[in-house]
């Protein structure tokens, strides 16, 4: 259903949207996810490991930066991912949970996700971090409904998606301006990433046993996530 | 002279010292370095780039960590290096200096230093970051005498050496406990690093033209730096 909606939507052209302007709505619990929200430790464990993976990908991009200005800019983005990771780890510690033990069950699938989505060069890596990092932060932020209220609010503030996205968008736009021919390859790569991101998100949900029913309940979340994804693609001048 | 002192000293065995307990003395300007302190922008540019290089080496170590607990611990150390980098970059921005331009003159020599000292495996990389990162932070902290006083104090607080050293020491000690045979190789590597660290420090000083005279004036700084280096080696049970 999501994919039908997505194909339909992608045919329309929209004006470039402002990234990061989207209101935070998940903690108002407008999604009725009930038991689909993973338990607190599982939730925090996977967010912590995901942010660590984003940090690792960004660190590699820092090292591979073609110039000092990019290196410096991306190091700030890497720092933001690390802040998210450490913030979530601090929440686990408050609960007297060893972060390594909480992250462990999600390490293999997130490592595989990182491998699949890392891209073949520096620019693809930037597209990936921007598109999948934004998507998953957005996802994790929207499913906090089942967490204790105060924790949910702290985590939401912490993992705000696209906080440093402007730095990546600026790097990509400069590269495309210099070499317009790369845009279509990067756009194609950006579109491909959505499938992987959706899959990781889908696997993060605690299933009720009735898959079709779970998917129907997640539909409004995914609809919002894909709309935000399209805005990210628009910001690069890409058709989602 | 430094090396003679160092050889002399290294023959004595000392009890393991507490790392990080050394008092911050440089801002009391007890070293009379005068014009050997580089100008403010050169100073900040090289510290910024050095911390970025330490961050890059640590990020690689995060990715290569053998388990999640090491990964998590080292990510905190990487975060500390990044905080130092961003703090110094913020000082450059306050001075309306483009950080990339300030760092540029030092990129080649620090990149080469990073290559020379990165080690052949994960444990050597940890030894290197601990030994050379500690040494150079210590060095940069001790030569702030020629900077504007308020800036000097901020930079000193920012680049405090060994703040996260306990995490690295703990990783190394655990590895040595598991496999005592690696200790001598790591100790040898740690001793080798001193030469590279001293060279980078020596090149960071603004020369007066009279090399022998400059070295004599730097002698008290290097003496203190090498004493701190020995304490770092001692903390690992290594003979400096």
């Amino acid at each position: 259903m999501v994919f039908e909606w997505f194909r339909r939507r992608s045919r329309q052209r929209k004006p470039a949207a402002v990234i990061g302007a989207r209101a935070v709505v998940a903690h108002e619990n407008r999604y009725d996810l009930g038991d689909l929200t993973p338990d607190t430790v599982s939730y925090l464990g996977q967010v912590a490991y995901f942010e660590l993976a984003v940090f690792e990908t960004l660190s590699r991009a820092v090292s591979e930066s073609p110039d000092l200005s990019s290196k410096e800019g991306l190091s700030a983005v890497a720092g933001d991912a690390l802040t998210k990771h450490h913030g979530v780890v601090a929440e686990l510690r408050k609960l007297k949970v060893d972060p390594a033990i909480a992250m462990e069950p999600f390490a293999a699938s997130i490592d595989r996700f990182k491998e699949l989505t890392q891209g073949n060069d520096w620019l693809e890596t930037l597209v990936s971090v921007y598109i999948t990092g934004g998507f998953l932060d957005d996802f994790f932020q929207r499913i906090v409904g089942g967490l204790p209220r105060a924790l949910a609010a702290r985590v939401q503030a912490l993992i705000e998606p696209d906080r440093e996205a402007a730095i990546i968008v600026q790097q990509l736009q400069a590269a495309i301006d210099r070499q317009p021919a790369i845009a279509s390859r990067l756009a194609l790569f950006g579109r491909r990433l959505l499938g992987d991101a959706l899959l990781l998100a889908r696997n993060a949900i605690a299933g009720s046993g009735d898959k079709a029913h779970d998917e129907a309940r997640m539909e409004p979340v995914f609809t919002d996530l894909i709309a935000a994804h399209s805005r990210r693609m628009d910001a690069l001048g890409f058709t989602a």
Side-chain angles (χ1 to χ4, degrees), chain A:
Chain A
M1 300 163 280
V2 163
F3 286 99
E4 271 162 39
W5 181 92
F6 173 59
R7 273 195 299 274
R8 214 160 55 231
R9 192 181 175 290
S10 68
R11 281 191 216 103
Q12 309 161 8
R13 289 309 305 258
K14 300 198 314 46
V18 178
I19 48 170
R22 182 179 37 73
V24 174
V25 290
H27 71 275
E28 291 160 15
N29 215 352
R30 83 179 180 84
Y31 308 116
D32 179 23
L33 299 178
D35 60 348
L36 293 184
T37 309
D39 70 273
T40 300
V41 171
S42 298
Y43 175 88
L44 295 175
Q46 64 192 308
V47 174
Y49 197 79
F50 178 73
E51 300 301 348
L52 190 55
V54 173
F55 164 73
E56 287 181 45
T57 301
L58 276 164
S59 310
R60 204 165 48 87
V62 169
S63 289
E64 294 170 358
S65 290
D67 57 69
L68 280 182
S69 167
S70 310
K71 203 189 257 295
E72 216 287 293
L74 288 180
S75 78
V77 191
D80 189 54
L82 200 55
T83 300
K84 292 175 181 177
H85 167 72
H86 288 142
V88 177
V89 160
E91 294 293 345
L92 283 164
R93 291 230 165 87
K94 268 188 222 162
L95 299 172
K96 312 273 181 232
V97 176
D98 179 340
I101 291 171
M103 292 190 290
E104 176 57 40
F106 309 101
S109 63
I110 292 175
D111 283 349
R112 181 155 165 69
F113 173 79
K114 189 173 67 170
E115 226 170 89
L116 278 172
T117 60
Q118 69 188 356
N120 290 316
D121 61 20
W122 188 72
L123 291 171
E124 286 189 2
T125 302
L126 295 196
V127 171
S128 179
V129 166
Y130 168 60
I131 294 292
T132 67
F135 186 95
L136 270 308
D137 280 352
D138 201 355
F139 167 73
F140 286 127
Q141 218 191 34
R142 283 169 197 267
I143 63 163
V144 295
L147 301 179
R149 204 172 170 83
L151 173 67
R154 288 198 302 274
V155 169
Q156 278 205 314
L158 189 63
I159 63 174
E160 173 64 20
D162 303 318
R163 192 159 42 204
E164 302 287 347
I167 295 172
I168 299 185
V169 170
Q170 189 194 347
Q171 297 290 330
L172 287 168
Q173 274 169 342
I176 292 167
D177 285 349
R178 277 192 303 272
Q179 222 185 323
I182 60 173
S184 63
R185 170 172 65 88
L186 295 179
L188 183 69
F189 182 69
R191 280 194 291 279
R192 269 186 37 206
L193 292 167
L194 181 63
D196 292 315
L198 271 169
L199 199 64
L200 194 71
R202 205 164 285 231
N203 288 340
I205 299 160
S208 67
D210 178 349
K211 251 181 129 57
H213 182 242
D214 293 351
E215 295 219 345
R217 283 164 69 201
M218 287 304 291
E219 187 75 357
V221 180
F222 284 127
T223 299
D224 285 350
L225 288 172
I226 291 168
H229 167 76
S230 297
R231 283 194 294 273
R232 282 184 202 100
M233 292 288 279
D234 284 344
L236 291 174
F238 296 167
T239 309

